[in-house]
Amino acid sequence: MRTKDHQIQSFKNKMKNRGRLLIQCPDQPGIVAAVSQFLFENGANIMESNQFSTNPEGGTFFIRIEFECQDLLERKSYLQENFAKIAETFSMEWKLTFVHDLKKTAIFVSKELHCLRELLWEWESGELITDISLVISNHTEAKELVESFGIPFVHIPMSKDNKRQAEEKQLQLLQEYEVETIILARYMQILSPDFVEAHPFKIINIHHSFLPAFVGARPYDRAYQRGVKIIGATSHYVTNELDEGPIIEQDIIRVDHRDHAEDLKRTGRSIERSVLARAVKWHLQDRVIVYGNKTIVFN
């Protein structure tokens, strides 16, 4: 784990002067000019800029800017306070983040470990830049795997009789570890409204894309019986509308009559792994802006 610690410290040193601005506001002339002028006046160099408007006449404008600024960490408060004046002028919803400050994440998992394995592998290889604070599970199947990476594993059994108490313990741990992002890596439990409301647009889920055609248990078996030709996966933010939160990423692959139910499951697991990993990366890289029940993803 010393190698991993070195990777993280190296990344933080490299990114100590890197910041990101995410903005959405009513579209009107002068937004880009005002933001660019502000960054220029503060000695910042724009490294990447992406923008989108739903309609240049009366629509909503979105922009993501990544920039370098000397002594950024020492100037955080100053930049936030002074950009607030521009934000007020254009009625902006905005977020200024600092890449040096790694987001703390928690992974929730049940018995199926394919998505968890992908996240841990990408984290260890340096492709997923985050502080995985802990893994929480309602089963023990993941314990040995998680602890082999030096990450705390917490087993919290859950049933219909103790759901409230179990969630209270989960929420307490998330607060204790100062977790900002929760990843449901095939966590087969429905979160309560109180849990979801405590982490708005900070919980990322993954599931197959057969919904709403094959709801409930054994979807791949029923998909096989129906003779489906496309398998997919969807990753989205969790809301209290079950599996209907803003979609971050999706993917598909074609199958045919030669594929049996087990083949479909194996293919589905592969897509789920990659789709969840991409969605988590984009969230951690501040590439996602929630707009109603949609997302704007600058990838």
Side-chain angles (χ1 to χ4, degrees), residues 10-256:
S10 176
F11 174 85
K12 295 179 74 170
N13 289 339
K14 183 179 178 181
M15 295 296 175
K16 65 181 180 181
N17 291 321
R18 184 71 60 93
R20 298 175 183 139
L21 259 175
L22 269 70
I23 298 166
Q24 64 173 296
C25 62
D27 201 353
Q28 57 187 293
I31 300 170
V32 175
V35 175
S36 300
Q37 183 66 24
F38 171 82
L39 293 173
F40 170 74
E41 289 175 352
N42 284 280
N45 184 27
I46 294 175
M47 310 297 292
E48 181 181 338
S49 180
N50 293 280
Q51 62 195 60
F52 169 71
S53 176
T54 60
N55 189 328
E57 297 182 6
T60 301
F61 180 79
F62 306 86
I63 188 168
R64 176 190 184 272
I65 295 177
E66 188 158 324
F67 62 90
E68 285 273 335
C69 183
Q70 194 66 30
D71 300 322
L72 180 61
L73 296 179
E74 290 76 20
R75 304 181 66 196
K76 286 165 59 171
S77 298
Y78 174 84
L79 291 172
Q80 287 171 323
E81 290 172 8
N82 283 272
F83 188 77
K85 301 169 186 175
I86 295 175
E88 185 177 358
T89 300
F90 290 94
S91 302
M92 293 176 176
E93 295 179 35
W94 62 286
K95 179 170 69 170
L96 175 58
T97 63
F98 305 93
V99 181
H100 174 275
D101 299 330
L102 291 187
K103 293 180 177 64
K104 295 185 177 182
T105 56
I107 303 175
F108 282 46
V109 66
S110 291
K111 290 184 176 182
E112 295 188 41
L113 307 185
H114 55 284
C115 287
L116 173 65
R117 291 181 189 276
E118 181 75 13
L119 294 170
L120 292 178
W121 184 85
E122 297 234 358
W123 174 76
E124 185 181 45
S125 66
E127 295 296 317
L128 186 68
I129 306 298
T130 185
D131 177 357
I132 302 180
S133 300
L134 76 165
V135 174
I136 296 175
S137 180
N138 54 330
H139 297 280
T140 58
E141 275 79 354
K143 177 179 172 61
E144 184 177 350
L145 170 65
V146 172
E147 291 182 344
S148 72
F149 284 85
I151 299 171
F153 175 85
V154 181
H155 175 221
I156 303 178
M158 182 172 290
S159 68
K160 62 180 181 181
D161 297 321
N162 78 330
K163 185 178 179 69
R164 182 174 178 179
Q165 292 85 349
E167 281 200 348
E168 286 176 354
K169 187 173 182 180
Q170 290 171 347
L171 289 168
Q172 182 180 351
L173 283 167
L174 295 174
Q175 185 175 10
E176 178 184 329
Y177 280 89
E178 300 179 326
V179 168
E180 301 169 72
T181 301
I182 301 163
I183 307 165
L184 306 185
R186 296 295 290 166
Y187 181 63
M188 307 307 289
Q189 294 288 326
I190 297 174
L191 302 178
S192 71
D194 289 343
F195 191 105
V196 174
E197 288 167 9
H199 302 277
F201 304 122
K202 297 295 179 63
I203 309 172
I204 301 174
N205 192 24
I206 183 71
H207 58 72
H208 60 78
S209 286
F210 292 140
L211 302 175
F214 305 114
V215 178
R218 303 177 67 85
Y220 286 102
D221 296 89
R222 286 181 289 133
Y224 169 70
Q225 293 165 8
R226 184 67 178 83
V228 299
K229 298 298 184 281
I230 293 176
I231 283 181
T234 295
S235 184
H236 63 91
Y237 289 117
V238 175
T239 64
N240 283 321
E241 304 299 322
L242 184 61
D243 292 332
E244 294 189 13
I247 293 171
I248 306 170
E249 171 64 336
Q250 295 178 295
D251 203 356
I252 60 168
I253 192 169
R254 297 196 67 83
V255 295
D256 61 29

Side-chain angles (χ1 to χ4, degrees), residues 112 114 186 208 210 217-224 231-232 255 259-273:
E112 295 188 41
H114 55 284
R186 296 295 290 166
H208 60 78
F210 292 140
R218 303 177 67 85
Y220 286 102
D221 296 89
R222 286 181 289 133
Y224 169 70
I231 283 181
V255 295
D259 294 299
H260 295 282
E262 285 303 316
D263 299 318
L264 302 188
K265 291 177 187 177
R266 186 164 50 252
T267 301
R269 287 194 290 267
S270 177
I271 303 171
E272 288 172 3
R273 293 200 308 265

